Amino acid sequence: IYLTTLARMYYKETSGAIFMYGLINSLMCRGGLKLKLVIFILFSILTTVGVLNYFTIPLIKSYMKDKAFEVSITTVERIAEFSSFALLERTYENRLNLDDSIEKVEKSDTKGIIGISIYQRQKNDNNVSFTYLSGFGLNNKEMPLDENLLNTLNNSMEEEVIYHDYSIRTPSQTIDTYRFSKPIIYTYQNHSILLGVALLYYDKTSINGVIEELLEVILWITISILLVITLFVYFIGANLTKPLLQITQAAAEIAKGNFDINLSIKTNDEIEYLAKQSNKMILSLREHEKMQKFVSNSTMHMLQEDASSKLTLAGEHRTLTFLFCDIRNFTTMSEEKEPLEVIGIVNFYLNLQSKIIKANGGDIDKFIGDEVMASFSGPDATKKALKSAIEIQALIKRENIKREKSGETVCEVGIGIHRGEVIAGNIGSDDRMNFTSIGSVVNIASRLCSNAAPAEILIEKNTYEQADAKYIVELKPSFSAKGLKNNIEVYSIMHTER
């Protein structure tokens, strides 16, 4: 039970910590750079103020205490000086001067001084007592003498000002003070006589009060500065993040394949430089995208796989299925029509074939005039090639019906398919090469295409039988090919499945 309880407590604490971390992380992500700048500035200012207060407040407090002691000692010495005449001569004029000096101190409202008391020392027989002579205090009451001070005065005949910590207790409050005492001594024939004592009470809280007032001023100044700087940093951060957001949005569009972007950012700093470099990258990607249309997928895959290595003229053995598709009567048509019209017709039919070949996983190796050379890889390559061929012939048939109705030129294609081992690799020269496939298999597929009638699909017999396809086929007369000892047996594919 104990272990279960501990486990539950740990789970709750861990879950709470994870939740708080996730919440803070979410706020930081949503706030973005502006929030991070604001937090950084706030933290810097608060840290600076905290460090300054940590080191300066004790110094200020020490300085205030020294000043309070200086004022208190000076005041009590002046009062003691006036008191010495009043206690020694005891004339009305001297007493009046003493009361007048005490009244000036009271009315001066010197911060911290809360009471002054003048006591006269009297000796009757062997008894010594101190009698209150003049002064002021809380609620205009005299400040009483305590036994410790009396013992100090009776046992010391020095004129130096001494101070003690002293608490004044009233029915409503207790005040902690510094009590400064100045013995009033008269010296006659090298003999010192204690006439009395002058006392001054200084409130300790007045020193702390100044510090508290100072801290309050610092607090309000800090808050004001923080508000101003927060607004300033927010707007600066907004101006800073706006171009960064533009660059981010541009990057998102690039990831979607949209390269029709141009960043126009003028900040005269590193962000503008980043925008210019981004524009160069976008231009390069745009050119790269256009270049891809002139390069086969197999070439692109080769470049991606060997991106870190140097391109060399080399190849490897691969087993592929090849499909050749050629427009019939192209030469006659090109002689009868304008070049631009011929290009438009050829591109129309090549585009139909390319879409179907790519949709079935084929790779268009190259366009040879009005002919398409495509390859298929994998164990079901021949099936994909056959499917592509059937779909091409069916689509061209449908499109030709539409074109005839609209009075446009129609064309038909012949298709040849063969599978076997070829050499695939970089063919050409050191400064101009092409990734393609060469071998008798390619030549046979091309010959099959040349022998195919309009709207016909020819496939080498073994290639079809190994594909385990289920089309209705017709065995055609075999034909010979240059470089081969045996004639090539051929099937003609009907456009239906068994």
Side-chain angles (χ1 to χ4, degrees):
I1 295 173
Y2 177 72
L3 292 176
T4 303
T5 304
L6 287 178
R8 288 176 179 174
M9 292 174 62
Y10 175 76
Y11 175 76
K12 289 180 179 179
E13 292 178 358
T14 305
S15 299
I18 294 173
F19 173 77
M20 289 301 298
Y21 174 79
L23 180 61
I24 293 172
N25 190 46
S26 177
L27 290 174
M28 293 296 289
C29 290
R30 291 186 179 183
L33 185 59
K34 294 190 292 294
L35 180 59
K36 292 177 181 178
L37 282 174
V38 169
I39 291 176
F40 174 75
I41 296 297
L42 293 180
F43 176 77
S44 299
I45 293 176
L46 292 176
T47 302
T48 302
V49 172
V51 171
L52 287 175
N53 287 342
Y54 180 80
F55 289 103
T56 58
I57 293 301
L59 293 176
I60 295 173
K61 190 172 183 179
S62 176
Y63 174 78
M64 294 296 298
K65 183 177 179 181
D66 291 342
K67 282 297 180 182
F69 274 47
E70 182 180 341
V71 171
S72 299
I73 291 172
T74 302
T75 303
V76 77
E77 285 180 342
R78 284 184 56 200
I79 296 299
E81 183 179 352
F82 282 103
S83 301
S84 64
F85 294 106
L87 294 176
L88 185 61
E89 299 179 2
R90 299 183 183 181
T91 63
Y92 176 77
E93 182 180 358
N94 290 333
R95 176 61 184 272
L96 190 62
N97 288 336
L98 175 60
D99 292 340
D100 184 57
S101 63
I102 292 175
E103 185 178 0
K104 286 181 180 179
V105 173
E106 184 178 9
K107 289 182 177 180
S108 67
D109 196 23
T110 303
K111 196 161 188 175
I113 297 178
I114 60 174
I116 291 178
S117 298
I118 307 299
Y119 285 88
Q120 179 180 356
R121 183 174 183 271
Q122 294 181 338
K123 186 175 182 181
N124 296 322
D125 298 332
N126 293 327
N127 295 325
V128 176
S129 62
F130 287 86
T131 305
Y132 180 77
L133 182 64
S134 182
F136 68 88
L138 294 176
N139 300 323
N140 294 323
K141 293 182 179 179
E142 64 179 80
M143 301 292 190
L145 294 176
D146 59 277
E147 187 174 347
N148 291 333
L149 178 60
L150 292 175
N151 291 332
T152 301
L153 293 173
N154 288 325
N155 296 324
S156 176
M157 297 299 291
E158 296 180 358
E159 293 186 285
E160 293 182 359
V161 177
I162 58 175
Y163 79 94
H164 300 87
D165 294 330
Y166 183 74
S167 297
I168 300 174
R169 292 178 173 82
T170 66
S172 59
Q173 61 180 334
T174 299
I175 303 174
D176 293 326
T177 68
Y178 295 114
R179 184 176 63 183
F180 296 87
S181 57
K182 173 71 167 71
I184 304 171
I185 297 175
Y186 172 70
T187 303
Y188 178 73
Q189 295 182 353
N190 296 326
H191 183 68
S192 298
I193 301 172
L194 180 62
L195 300 179
V197 62
L199 302 177
L200 183 145
Y201 298 85
Y202 193 94
D203 188 1
K204 290 182 179 180
T205 58
S206 63
I207 298 175
N208 295 330
V210 173
I211 302 299
E212 290 174 359
E213 289 179 6
L214 179 62
L215 289 175
E216 186 176 355
V217 171
I218 292 174
L219 175 63
W220 284 110
I221 292 174
T222 302
I223 292 174
S224 301
I225 293 175
L226 287 177
L227 289 175
V228 173
I229 290 182
T230 299
L231 293 175
F232 179 75
V233 170
Y234 180 83
F235 288 111
I236 290 295
N239 292 330
L240 180 64
T241 56
K242 185 177 179 180
L244 291 177
L245 289 175
Q246 292 178 0
I247 296 174
T248 303
Q249 292 171 357
E253 290 297 319
I254 292 171
K256 296 177 183 178
N258 179 17
F259 304 121
D260 189 18
I261 299 169
N262 183 50
L263 292 168
S264 179
I265 296 174
K266 304 295 181 183
T267 56
N268 296 321
D269 54 21
E270 292 83 356
I271 297 178
E272 181 178 346
Y273 178 75
L274 176 61
K276 290 181 179 179
Q277 296 302 312
S278 298
N279 284 332
K280 291 181 180 179
M281 179 190 70
I282 294 169
L283 180 61
S284 176
L285 291 173
R286 192 181 303 152
E287 294 172 351
H288 179 72
E289 182 190 31
K290 293 179 180 178
M291 285 294 295
Q292 279 186 318
K293 297 179 180 180
F294 296 90
V295 181
S296 64
N297 289 336
S298 57
T299 302
M300 290 302 302
H301 292 156
M302 181 272 298
L303 292 173
Q304 292 170 357
E305 292 174 0
D306 300 333
S308 60
S309 61
K310 183 179 179 181
L311 292 176
T312 58
L313 296 171
E316 61 180 357
H317 290 280
R318 289 186 184 179
T319 300
L320 301 172
T321 298
F322 291 91
L323 180 150
F324 280 79
C325 189
D326 182 51
I327 297 176
R328 293 296 177 257
N329 300 322
F330 172 74
T331 304
T332 303
M333 178 183 64
S334 62
E335 292 175 352
E336 296 175 351
K337 298 183 180 296
E338 294 293 329
L340 289 177
E341 186 180 358
V342 173
I343 291 295
I345 295 170
V346 171
N347 286 340
F348 174 78
Y349 286 99
L350 292 180
N351 187 52
L352 293 180
Q353 299 169 59
S354 299
K355 288 182 178 178
I356 292 174
I357 291 170
K358 288 183 178 179
N360 287 292
D363 176 32
I364 297 177
D365 189 285
K366 62 174 69 68
F367 294 103
I368 310 169
D370 62 327
E371 185 180 48
V372 179
M373 174 184 173
S375 63
F376 295 82
S377 60
D380 58 346
T382 303
K383 284 187 176 182
K384 291 188 290 186
L386 282 167
K387 185 173 181 293
S388 299
I390 296 294
E391 290 178 357
I392 287 171
Q393 296 291 20
L395 180 59
I396 288 177
K397 184 177 181 179
R398 292 195 301 270
E399 291 296 327
N400 283 344
I401 295 173
K402 297 178 184 177
R403 290 176 70 85
E404 284 180 347
K405 289 181 179 180
S406 61
E408 297 179 90
T409 302
V410 297
C411 295
E412 292 183 313
V413 299
I415 299 176
I417 300 173
H418 186 34
R419 178 178 177 81
E421 188 178 84
V422 296
I423 298 174
N426 300 325
I427 308 298
S429 63
D430 291 335
D431 58 350
R432 181 69 172 86
M433 61 183 68
N434 183 31
F435 186 85
T436 188
S437 301
I438 58 175
S440 61
V441 175
V442 179
N443 297 333
I444 293 171
S446 179
R447 284 290 304 277
L448 290 171
C449 178
S450 300
N451 290 341
E456 186 178 28
I457 302 170
L458 295 182
I459 183 170
E460 193 268 336
K461 181 181 177 183
N462 289 331
T463 298
Y464 177 79
E465 291 175 349
Q466 291 174 5
D468 192 25
K470 297 180 180 180
Y471 294 98
I472 298 175
V473 297
E474 179 186 354
L475 184 64
K476 303 291 285 186
S478 60
F479 65 90
S480 62
K482 185 178 180 180
L484 295 178
K485 296 180 180 180
N486 301 322
N487 289 345
I488 302 171
E489 295 182 296
V490 181
Y491 281 137
S492 177
I493 304 295
M494 302 302 179
H495 295 181
T496 56
E497 287 188 279
R498 289 180 294 179

